[in-house]
Amino acid sequence: MEGLMLARVLRDLGPTLPLRTLGWVFPDETTAALLLEGPGLEGRSNLVLAYRPPQPVVFLSRERLRGEPRSPFQRYLAARVRGDLLRAEQLKLDRVIALHFAGETGFVDQPPTRLLFEVTGRNANLLVLDEGEGFGGRIVMAAREITGSRNRFRTIRTGGRYAPPPPYEKLDPRTLTEDQARDLRHLPVGRWRERLDGLGPLLSAELARRADLRPDQEPGDHWPAALRAVQTLVQDPTVSEGVMHDGAREAARTEKAVTLRKALREPLEKRVTLLRNQLSDVARAETGLADAARDREEADLLMAYQHTVPAGASSVTLSAFDGSGERPVSLEPQLSAVQNAEKRYARARRREDVYLRLAEREEALRAELTEAEARVQDLDSATLEQLETLAVRVQSERPEKSPYGARYTTPGGFEALVGRNNKENATLTHRIGRSLDFWFHAQGYPGSHVLVRTGGRDLDLPDILYAARLAAAHSKARGSSNVPVDYTRIKHVWRPKGAPAGQVHYTDQKTVFVDGSPPDP
């Protein structure tokens, strides 16, 4: 962002000052936005300070921005840079601005401060200075600490003295006279930035475009057109051609889109990988049906010929029912023929149940995979608005993390916590839950404990069904239909003496039957 662009932002902001500040938000780790309110703004606007190198920008926005502090500096900014915004000033036309805050009184008084923004490309920085005038003073805290090992000419250290970059000794384009412009006639318009303050490569190219010199124009005759172009550039320092259409705001939007694409790509690609693995599980379970059929055949033979199987044998050969020949059957010597058969029946049932459970979800998994792959494919061409919508959807589909399990919210607004392992199950049930909170668990299946924190209030049917589906979806019955889920108050759940973590007994339960798929967000 170049000096004239900064001057335009401050020129728009200046007549509205002083302004009431309504707090800071932080859309990402290198962007701070201050919500301002005042008559001159005709409502509320955000002053956005994006200090990510190499394209830092500042602009006013009416977009609704959100975000909690993501770094110690942002937390300090939110807590200590408070009070009305009194003044905003620029160091000549250099890329350094200072914002003066009045401070505020309260339980903990906050003194007046200055927020200084160095909008200087790869050296961009945001600093909090103590109260004072101008651009000097003590650095209270800096977003980026610059030590002598990184820059031997200039250091930025918390607690040290701030010295601004030395301003250029150039002409001010805002007050450029005809005589001064005539003195520049020996320079091509593209090189006027060498003598004019506040112009960088982008605005210099825009100046040449606006001057619109004729091919037959003699050198030295271009200065009147160039002067008029400078005057229009002072009034409207936006770039109509090149990489920064509509100036700083569009540059920030482009940077935000790049950041969102990078942040979204990893979870979207992980989702695609997960769905492909789950579909591979369906294929593996299908191959297990052949093993289940063989187990059932051998179990049937053992049951039919149990009296001919010698005790303690490790294998036996039995005649197939269809007359196709002999079938060798391996045995566990310590078990009887009937026990060996029952073990095979149980193994066959498990394999069949796994296949049926996964097969029920196959169609939904393929639909989810198609959607996930389309999201990844469209990521590079998506607009900022589409990326923001996608980010909201991805976030809503991701359960909120908590130290005590995955966190959800029921339709009635109650917090539902889902244990992610036996230790968390025990913590939720025996430490976090209160006696009148509700506890859910899939009946007869290993799985998560679900705690709904109600503060003693009763649950309506939509809340019960929502929590029951959470319990079913986070159990071995996931994906099945008509899963029985028990629920009761925490006071009716206890851990038997000597039982491992997560194992409980309970009474006074009621049972509902739900699908084993996760509830809608």
Side-chain angles (χ1 to χ4, degrees), residues 454-515:
T454 64
R457 288 170 289 178
D458 290 329
L459 289 177
D460 293 330
L461 183 59
D463 298 311
I464 293 172
L465 296 177
Y466 184 94
R469 287 188 65 179
L470 283 177
H474 291 84
S475 74
K476 291 292 185 180
R478 179 183 177 90
S480 301
S481 58
N482 221 28
V483 180
V485 176
D486 292 335
Y487 68 98
T488 186
R489 301 273 190 180
I490 282 285
K491 65 181 180 180
H492 300 305
V493 183
W494 72 96
R495 178 179 176 179
K497 185 176 180 180
Q503 183 175 325
V504 297
H505 289 169
Y506 54 91
T507 60
D508 289 8
Q509 73 272 17
K510 296 181 180 178
T511 305
V512 292
F513 291 82
V514 295
D515 288 335

Coordinates of all heavy atoms in Angstrom, one line a residue, residues 454-515:
T454 N -28.2 -29.8 31.7 CA -29.5 -29.1 31.7 C -29.7 -28.2 32.9 O -30.7 -27.4 32.9 CB -30.7 -30.1 31.6 OG1 -30.6 -30.9 32.8 CG2 -30.5 -31.0 30.4
G455 N -28.9 -28.3 33.9 CA -29.1 -27.5 35.1 C -30.3 -27.9 35.9 O -30.9 -27.1 36.6
G456 N -30.8 -29.2 35.7 CA -31.9 -29.6 36.4 C -33.2 -29.6 35.6 O -34.2 -30.1 36.0
R457 N -33.2 -28.9 34.4 CA -34.4 -28.8 33.6 C -34.6 -30.1 32.9 O -33.7 -30.9 32.6 CB -34.3 -27.6 32.7 CG -34.4 -26.3 33.3 CD -34.0 -25.1 32.4 NE -32.6 -25.1 32.1 CZ -32.0 -24.3 31.3 NH1 -32.7 -23.4 30.6 NH2 -30.7 -24.4 31.1
D458 N -35.9 -30.3 32.5 CA -36.3 -31.5 31.7 C -35.9 -31.3 30.2 O -35.8 -30.1 29.7 CB -37.7 -31.8 31.8 CG -38.1 -32.3 33.2 OD1 -37.2 -33.0 33.8 OD2 -39.2 -32.0 33.6
L459 N -35.8 -32.4 29.5 CA -35.5 -32.3 28.1 C -36.7 -32.5 27.3 O -37.5 -33.4 27.6 CB -34.5 -33.4 27.7 CG -33.0 -33.2 28.2 CD1 -32.2 -34.4 27.8 CD2 -32.4 -31.9 27.6
D460 N -36.9 -31.7 26.2 CA -38.0 -32.0 25.3 C -37.6 -33.1 24.3 O -36.4 -33.4 24.2 CB -38.3 -30.7 24.5 CG -38.9 -29.6 25.4 OD1 -39.6 -30.0 26.3 OD2 -38.7 -28.4 25.1
L461 N -38.6 -33.6 23.6 CA -38.3 -34.8 22.7 C -37.3 -34.5 21.7 O -36.4 -35.3 21.4 CB -39.6 -35.2 22.0 CG -39.5 -36.5 21.1 CD1 -39.0 -37.6 21.9 CD2 -40.8 -36.8 20.5
P462 N -37.2 -33.3 21.0 CA -36.2 -33.0 20.0 C -34.8 -33.1 20.6 O -33.8 -33.6 20.0 CB -36.5 -31.6 19.5 CG -38.0 -31.5 19.7 CD -38.2 -32.2 21.0
D463 N -34.6 -32.6 21.9 CA -33.3 -32.7 22.5 C -33.0 -34.2 22.9 O -31.8 -34.6 22.7 CB -33.3 -31.9 23.8 CG -33.6 -30.4 23.6 OD1 -32.9 -29.8 22.7 OD2 -34.5 -29.8 24.2
I464 N -33.9 -34.9 23.3 CA -33.7 -36.3 23.6 C -33.2 -37.1 22.4 O -32.3 -37.9 22.4 CB -35.0 -37.0 24.2 CG1 -35.3 -36.3 25.6 CG2 -34.8 -38.5 24.3 CD1 -36.6 -36.8 26.2
L465 N -34.0 -36.9 21.3 CA -33.6 -37.6 20.0 C -32.3 -37.2 19.5 O -31.5 -38.0 19.0 CB -34.7 -37.4 19.0 CG -36.1 -38.0 19.3 CD1 -37.1 -37.6 18.2 CD2 -36.0 -39.5 19.5
Y466 N -31.9 -35.9 19.6 CA -30.6 -35.4 19.2 C -29.5 -36.0 20.0 O -28.5 -36.5 19.4 CB -30.6 -33.8 19.3 CG -29.4 -33.2 18.8 CD1 -29.3 -32.7 17.5 CD2 -28.2 -33.1 19.6 CE1 -28.2 -32.1 17.0 CE2 -27.1 -32.4 19.1 CZ -27.1 -31.9 17.9 OH -25.9 -31.3 17.4
A467 N -29.6 -36.0 21.3 CA -28.6 -36.6 22.1 C -28.5 -38.1 21.9 O -27.4 -38.7 21.9 CB -28.8 -36.3 23.6
A468 N -29.6 -38.8 21.7 CA -29.6 -40.2 21.5 C -28.9 -40.5 20.1 O -28.2 -41.5 20.1 CB -31.1 -40.7 21.4
R469 N -29.1 -39.7 19.1 CA -28.4 -40.0 17.8 C -26.9 -39.7 18.0 O -26.1 -40.4 17.4 CB -29.0 -39.1 16.8 CG -30.4 -39.5 16.3 CD -30.8 -38.7 15.1 NE -30.0 -39.0 13.9 CZ -30.2 -38.4 12.7 NH1 -31.2 -37.6 12.6 NH2 -29.4 -38.7 11.7
L470 N -26.5 -38.8 18.9 CA -25.1 -38.6 19.1 C -24.5 -39.9 19.8 O -23.4 -40.3 19.4 CB -24.9 -37.4 20.1 CG -25.0 -36.0 19.5 CD1 -24.8 -35.0 20.6 CD2 -23.9 -35.8 18.4
A471 N -25.2 -40.4 20.7 CA -24.8 -41.6 21.4 C -24.7 -42.8 20.4 O -23.7 -43.6 20.4 CB -25.7 -42.0 22.6
A472 N -25.7 -43.0 19.6 CA -25.7 -44.1 18.6 C -24.6 -43.9 17.6 O -23.9 -44.8 17.2 CB -27.1 -44.1 17.9
A473 N -24.4 -42.6 17.1 CA -23.4 -42.4 16.1 C -22.0 -42.5 16.6 O -21.0 -42.8 15.8 CB -23.6 -41.0 15.5
H474 N -21.8 -42.4 17.9 CA -20.5 -42.5 18.5 C -20.4 -43.9 19.3 O -19.8 -43.9 20.4 CB -20.2 -41.4 19.5 CG -20.0 -40.1 18.8 ND1 -21.0 -39.3 18.4 CD2 -18.9 -39.4 18.3 CE1 -20.6 -38.2 17.8 NE2 -19.3 -38.3 17.7
S475 N -20.9 -44.9 18.7 CA -20.8 -46.2 19.2 C -20.6 -47.2 18.1 O -20.5 -46.9 17.0 CB -22.2 -46.6 20.0 OG -23.2 -46.8 19.0
K476 N -20.4 -48.5 18.5 CA -20.3 -49.6 17.5 C -21.5 -49.7 16.6 O -21.4 -50.4 15.6 CB -19.9 -50.9 18.2 CG -18.5 -50.9 18.9 CD -17.4 -50.9 17.8 CE -16.1 -51.0 18.5 NZ -15.0 -51.0 17.5
A477 N -22.6 -49.1 17.0 CA -23.8 -49.2 16.2 C -23.9 -48.1 15.1 O -24.9 -48.0 14.5 CB -25.0 -49.1 17.1
R478 N -22.8 -47.3 15.0 CA -22.9 -46.2 14.0 C -23.3 -46.7 12.6 O -22.7 -47.7 12.1 CB -21.5 -45.6 14.0 CG -21.4 -44.4 13.0 CD -20.0 -43.9 12.9 NE -19.9 -42.8 11.9 CZ -20.0 -41.5 12.1 NH1 -20.3 -41.1 13.4 NH2 -19.9 -40.6 11.2
G479 N -24.2 -46.0 12.0 CA -24.6 -46.4 10.7 C -25.8 -47.3 10.7 O -26.4 -47.5 9.6
S480 N -26.1 -48.0 11.8 CA -27.2 -48.9 11.8 C -28.5 -48.1 11.9 O -28.6 -47.0 12.3 CB -27.1 -49.9 13.0 OG -25.9 -50.6 12.9
S481 N -29.6 -48.8 11.7 CA -30.9 -48.2 11.9 C -31.6 -48.8 13.2 O -31.3 -49.9 13.6 CB -31.8 -48.5 10.7 OG -32.0 -49.9 10.4
N482 N -32.5 -48.1 13.7 CA -33.3 -48.5 14.9 C -32.4 -49.0 16.1 O -32.5 -50.1 16.6 CB -34.2 -49.7 14.5 CG -35.5 -49.6 15.1 OD1 -36.0 -48.5 15.4 ND2 -36.2 -50.8 15.4
V483 N -31.4 -48.1 16.4 CA -30.5 -48.4 17.5 C -31.1 -48.0 18.9 O -31.6 -46.9 19.0 CB -29.2 -47.6 17.3 CG1 -28.2 -47.8 18.5 CG2 -28.6 -47.8 16.0
P484 N -31.2 -48.9 19.8 CA -31.7 -48.6 21.1 C -30.7 -47.7 22.0 O -29.6 -48.1 22.1 CB -32.0 -49.9 21.8 CG -31.0 -50.8 21.2 CD -30.8 -50.3 19.8
V485 N -31.2 -46.6 22.5 CA -30.3 -45.8 23.3 C -31.0 -45.5 24.7 O -32.2 -45.1 24.7 CB -30.0 -44.4 22.6 CG1 -29.2 -43.5 23.5 CG2 -29.3 -44.6 21.3
D486 N -30.3 -45.8 25.7 CA -30.8 -45.6 27.1 C -30.5 -44.2 27.6 O -29.4 -43.7 27.3 CB -30.3 -46.6 28.1 CG -30.8 -48.0 27.8 OD1 -31.9 -48.2 27.2 OD2 -30.1 -49.0 28.2
Y487 N -31.3 -43.6 28.4 CA -31.0 -42.3 29.0 C -31.6 -42.2 30.4 O -32.7 -42.8 30.6 CB -31.4 -41.1 28.1 CG -32.9 -40.9 28.0 CD1 -33.6 -40.0 28.8 CD2 -33.6 -41.6 27.0 CE1 -34.9 -39.8 28.6 CE2 -35.0 -41.4 26.9 CZ -35.6 -40.5 27.7 OH -37.0 -40.3 27.6
T488 N -30.9 -41.5 31.2 CA -31.3 -41.4 32.6 C -30.6 -40.2 33.2 O -29.7 -39.6 32.6 CB -31.0 -42.7 33.4 OG1 -31.6 -42.5 34.7 CG2 -29.6 -42.9 33.6
R489 N -31.0 -39.8 34.5 CA -30.3 -38.8 35.1 C -28.9 -39.3 35.6 O -28.7 -40.5 35.9 CB -31.1 -38.3 36.3 CG -32.4 -37.7 36.0 CD -32.4 -36.3 35.6 NE -33.8 -35.7 35.5 CZ -34.0 -34.4 35.2 NH1 -33.0 -33.6 35.0 NH2 -35.3 -34.0 35.2
I490 N -27.9 -38.4 35.7 CA -26.6 -38.8 36.2 C -26.6 -39.4 37.6 O -25.8 -40.3 37.9 CB -25.7 -37.5 36.2 CG1 -25.2 -37.2 34.8 CG2 -24.4 -37.7 37.1 CD1 -24.1 -38.1 34.2
K491 N -27.5 -39.0 38.4 CA -27.6 -39.5 39.8 C -27.9 -41.0 39.8 O -27.7 -41.7 40.8 CB -28.6 -38.8 40.6 CG -30.1 -38.9 40.2 CD -31.0 -38.1 41.1 CE -32.5 -38.3 40.6 NZ -33.4 -37.5 41.5
H492 N -28.4 -41.6 38.7 CA -28.7 -43.0 38.6 C -27.6 -43.8 37.9 O -27.8 -45.0 37.6 CB -30.0 -43.2 37.8 CG -31.2 -42.5 38.5 ND1 -31.6 -42.8 39.8 CD2 -32.1 -41.6 38.0 CE1 -32.7 -42.0 40.1 NE2 -33.0 -41.3 39.0
V493 N -26.4 -43.2 37.7 CA -25.3 -43.8 37.0 C -24.2 -44.0 38.0 O -23.8 -43.0 38.7 CB -24.9 -43.0 35.8 CG1 -23.8 -43.8 35.0 CG2 -26.1 -42.8 34.8
W494 N -23.6 -45.1 38.1 CA -22.4 -45.3 39.1 C -21.4 -46.3 38.5 O -21.7 -47.1 37.6 CB -22.9 -45.8 40.4 CG -23.4 -47.2 40.5 CD1 -22.7 -48.3 40.9 CD2 -24.7 -47.7 40.2 NE1 -23.4 -49.4 40.8 CE2 -24.7 -49.1 40.4 CE3 -25.9 -47.1 39.7 CZ2 -25.8 -49.9 40.1 CZ3 -27.0 -47.9 39.5 CH2 -26.9 -49.3 39.7
R495 N -20.2 -46.2 39.0 CA -19.2 -47.1 38.5 C -19.0 -48.2 39.5 O -18.8 -47.9 40.7 CB -17.9 -46.2 38.4 CG -16.6 -47.1 38.0 CD -15.4 -46.1 37.9 NE -14.2 -46.9 37.6 CZ -13.0 -46.3 37.5 NH1 -12.9 -45.0 37.6 NH2 -11.9 -47.0 37.2
P496 N -19.1 -49.4 39.1 CA -18.9 -50.6 40.0 C -17.5 -50.5 40.6 O -16.5 -50.1 40.0 CB -19.1 -51.8 39.2 CG -19.9 -51.3 38.0 CD -19.4 -49.9 37.8
K497 N -17.4 -51.0 41.8 CA -16.1 -51.1 42.5 C -15.1 -51.9 41.7 O -15.4 -53.1 41.4 CB -16.3 -51.6 43.9 CG -15.0 -51.6 44.8 CD -15.2 -52.1 46.2 CE -14.0 -52.1 47.0 NZ -14.2 -52.6 48.4
G498 N -13.9 -51.4 41.4 CA -12.9 -52.1 40.7 C -13.1 -52.1 39.2 O -12.2 -52.7 38.5
A499 N -14.2 -51.5 38.7 CA -14.4 -51.5 37.2 C -13.4 -50.6 36.5 O -13.0 -49.6 37.1 CB -15.8 -51.2 36.9
P500 N -13.1 -50.9 35.3 CA -12.2 -50.0 34.5 C -12.9 -48.7 34.2 O -14.1 -48.6 34.3 CB -11.9 -50.8 33.3 CG -13.0 -51.7 33.1 CD -13.4 -52.1 34.5
A501 N -12.1 -47.7 33.8 CA -12.7 -46.3 33.5 C -13.7 -46.5 32.4 O -13.4 -47.2 31.4 CB -11.6 -45.4 33.1
G502 N -14.8 -45.8 32.5 CA -15.8 -45.8 31.5 C -16.9 -46.9 31.6 O -18.0 -46.8 31.0
Q503 N -16.7 -47.9 32.5 CA -17.7 -48.9 32.7 C -18.6 -48.5 33.8 O -18.2 -48.1 34.9 CB -17.0 -50.3 33.0 CG -18.0 -51.4 33.2 CD -17.3 -52.7 33.4 OE1 -16.2 -53.0 32.9 NE2 -17.9 -53.6 34.2
V504 N -19.9 -48.6 33.6 CA -20.9 -48.1 34.6 C -22.1 -49.1 34.6 O -22.3 -49.9 33.8 CB -21.4 -46.7 34.2 CG1 -20.3 -45.7 34.2 CG2 -22.1 -46.7 32.8
H505 N -22.8 -48.9 35.7 CA -24.2 -49.5 35.8 C -25.2 -48.3 36.0 O -24.8 -47.2 36.4 CB -24.3 -50.4 37.1 CG -23.5 -51.7 36.9 ND1 -23.3 -52.5 38.0 CD2 -22.9 -52.2 35.8 CE1 -22.6 -53.6 37.6 NE2 -22.4 -53.4 36.3
Y506 N -26.4 -48.5 35.6 CA -27.4 -47.4 35.7 C -28.8 -48.0 35.9 O -29.1 -49.2 35.6 CB -27.3 -46.5 34.5 CG -27.5 -47.2 33.2 CD1 -28.7 -47.3 32.6 CD2 -26.4 -47.6 32.5 CE1 -28.9 -47.9 31.3 CE2 -26.5 -48.2 31.3 CZ -27.7 -48.4 30.7 OH -27.9 -49.0 29.4
T507 N -29.7 -47.2 36.5 CA -31.1 -47.6 36.7 C -32.0 -46.5 36.2 O -31.5 -45.4 35.9 CB -31.3 -47.9 38.2 OG1 -31.1 -46.7 38.9 CG2 -30.5 -49.1 38.6
D508 N -33.3 -46.7 36.4 CA -34.4 -45.7 36.1 C -34.2 -45.1 34.7 O -34.6 -44.0 34.4 CB -34.3 -44.6 37.1 CG -34.8 -45.0 38.5 OD1 -35.0 -46.2 38.7 OD2 -34.9 -44.1 39.3
Q509 N -33.7 -46.0 33.7 CA -33.5 -45.5 32.4 C -34.8 -45.6 31.5 O -35.7 -46.4 31.8 CB -32.4 -46.3 31.7 CG -32.7 -47.7 31.3 CD -32.5 -48.7 32.4 OE1 -32.3 -48.3 33.6 NE2 -32.4 -49.9 32.1
K510 N -34.8 -44.8 30.5 CA -35.8 -44.9 29.5 C -35.1 -45.2 28.2 O -33.9 -44.9 28.1 CB -36.6 -43.6 29.3 CG -37.5 -43.3 30.6 CD -38.3 -42.1 30.4 CE -39.1 -41.8 31.6 NZ -39.9 -40.5 31.5
T511 N -35.7 -45.7 27.2 CA -35.1 -46.1 25.9 C -35.8 -45.5 24.7 O -37.0 -45.5 24.7 CB -35.1 -47.7 25.8 OG1 -34.4 -48.2 26.9 CG2 -34.3 -48.1 24.6
V512 N -35.0 -45.0 23.8 CA -35.6 -44.5 22.5 C -34.8 -45.2 21.4 O -33.7 -45.7 21.6 CB -35.4 -43.0 22.4 CG1 -36.3 -42.3 23.3 CG2 -34.0 -42.6 22.5
F513 N -35.4 -45.4 20.3 CA -34.8 -46.0 19.1 C -34.6 -44.9 18.0 O -35.5 -44.2 17.6 CB -35.7 -47.1 18.6 CG -35.8 -48.3 19.5 CD1 -36.7 -48.3 20.6 CD2 -35.0 -49.4 19.3 CE1 -36.8 -49.3 21.5 CE2 -35.1 -50.5 20.2 CZ -36.0 -50.5 21.3
V514 N -33.3 -44.9 17.6 CA -32.9 -43.8 16.6 C -32.0 -44.4 15.6 O -31.5 -45.5 15.7 CB -32.2 -42.6 17.3 CG1 -33.1 -41.9 18.3 CG2 -30.9 -43.1 18.0
D515 N -31.8 -43.6 14.5 CA -30.8 -44.0 13.5 C -29.4 -43.8 14.0 O -29.1 -42.8 14.8 CB -30.9 -43.2 12.2 CG -32.2 -43.6 11.4 OD1 -32.6 -44.8 11.6 OD2 -32.7 -42.8 10.7

